[in-house]
Amino acid sequence: MEKQELKMKRFFNEISDENRELLLKNGLEIHVKSGSFLFYEGDFPEHVYLVRSGKVRLSKMTSEGKEFSVHLKQRDELVGEVGLFNEMAISVTAEVTENATLVRFDRHTLESLFRQNGEIAVAFMKWFARHTQSTQAKFRDLILCGKTGALYSTLIRFSNSYGIHKEEGIFINVHLTNQDIANYIGTTRESVNRLLNELKKSNVLSMKNGYITIHDIQHLKNYLHCGDCPVEICTI
């Protein structure tokens, strides 16, 4: 299950081959099975991870004890980077959702490398700024656009990140249950069921065996008054 190769600027892709090799030499490659946790919300993690394959989901627990999915990290992205250059507890839980190959870095080693190597440091700052913008945009949609807008925004983000263009529409190449989607938008499975049924009746999308095909992406974008933001800002 590979992401569609869009023109996204990812951290590891923005540094030279020489610095990629240098970065990898300072880490330890590990293989982690699906269902494993890298750290939990409230921890003070000592490691940062670079995803080489597989997927890692970041989530938070609400005050009501419900799980809220924040991001689904992909190849060449960092996990746990928010713990760099501060002594604060991390605000999310990281769960491997697809068998993953990761490069694990000691936090202090990575901080030292950033201080010594300007290209790697600048690449990190650019990627972190875009990642922050993406998170802010997602929460803007969740807060300002209601449940319907939150669902539409999440579907667009999945289509940008995992969409494969086919004759019948955009096939989202990630298996998603209605509960999975509910966790990404902070609502109930019943609400998602109702909203998805409305979209299916309008032939905006269809679902088969847990996979979604979007037939009319413009319908979703029109509802949200989408602009021409860079694709990496509108990803999951």
Side-chain angles (χ1 to χ4, degrees):
M1 183 192 301
E2 294 295 330
K3 279 196 174 184
Q4 182 192 16
E5 288 300 322
L6 297 171
K7 295 180 180 179
M8 296 183 194
K9 297 177 180 178
R10 299 168 184 163
F11 167 70
F12 198 60
N13 293 335
E14 288 200 69
I15 56 178
S16 65
D17 291 341
E18 180 182 358
N19 278 329
R20 290 180 195 176
E21 185 177 348
L22 174 64
L23 191 64
L24 294 177
K25 282 183 178 179
N26 279 271
L28 174 68
E29 184 174 282
I30 61 174
H31 302 280
V32 186
K33 291 184 178 181
S34 177
S36 302
F37 290 85
L38 303 179
F39 49 77
Y40 295 91
E41 184 175 356
D43 283 353
F44 291 85
E46 289 300 316
H47 298 101
V48 177
Y49 303 85
L50 174 67
V51 182
R52 301 299 286 145
S53 68
K55 296 176 180 62
V56 180
R57 183 169 59 90
L58 304 184
S59 63
K60 292 181 65 66
M61 294 299 291
T62 69
S63 58
E64 293 82 21
K66 296 180 181 179
E67 185 179 47
F68 177 70
S69 299
V70 182
H71 287 291
L72 189 61
K73 294 281 189 153
Q74 60 171 308
R75 177 180 173 86
D76 293 341
E77 291 190 329
L78 293 171
V79 176
E81 76 287 346
V82 293
L84 291 171
F85 300 106
N86 68 66
E87 302 299 327
M88 298 173 63
I90 205 152
S91 60
V92 293
T93 294
E95 179 186 6
V96 176
T97 58
E98 182 181 290
N99 291 344
T101 298
L102 310 172
V103 179
R104 186 177 68 195
F105 302 96
D106 175 81
R107 180 169 63 86
H108 300 291
T109 299
L110 201 56
E111 288 176 357
S112 177
L113 185 61
F114 284 179
R115 291 189 181 99
Q116 297 169 17
N117 190 298
E119 186 195 47
I120 296 177
V122 170
F124 171 76
M125 288 187 290
K126 287 181 176 179
W127 178 82
F128 189 75
R130 288 193 298 270
H131 188 262
T132 300
Q133 281 185 282
S134 177
T135 302
Q136 291 173 341
K138 177 179 179 179
F139 281 106
R140 177 200 63 205
D141 292 343
L142 294 178
I143 293 170
L144 299 181
C145 300
K147 293 178 182 178
T148 300
L151 173 63
Y152 289 11
S153 171
T154 299
L155 291 172
I156 292 170
R157 290 172 183 277
F158 267 108
S159 73
N160 285 339
S161 296
Y162 294 95
I164 298 174
H165 288 260
K166 297 187 174 184
E167 185 176 347
E168 63 270 23
I170 303 173
F171 175 76
I172 298 176
N173 196 24
V174 177
H175 186 273
L176 291 168
T177 67
N178 287 3
Q179 185 60 58
D180 290 333
I181 298 171
N183 288 346
Y184 275 101
I185 65 177
T187 190
T188 63
R189 180 173 56 85
E190 291 75 19
S191 293
V192 170
N193 291 346
R194 177 178 55 79
L195 292 169
L196 288 176
N197 283 333
E198 291 174 358
L199 292 174
K200 285 188 283 188
K201 289 178 182 177
S202 301
N203 200 36
V204 174
L205 59 76
S206 59
M207 300 181 68
K208 184 178 181 181
N209 299 326
Y211 291 89
I212 296 173
T213 298
I214 301 176
H215 306 296
D216 186 0
I217 191 73
Q218 197 59 46
H219 175 87
L220 308 179
K221 291 182 176 181
N222 289 344
Y223 183 91
L224 294 168
H225 303 289
C226 284
D228 294 322
C229 58
V231 67
E232 62 264 21
I233 302 300
C234 192
T235 60
I236 202 70

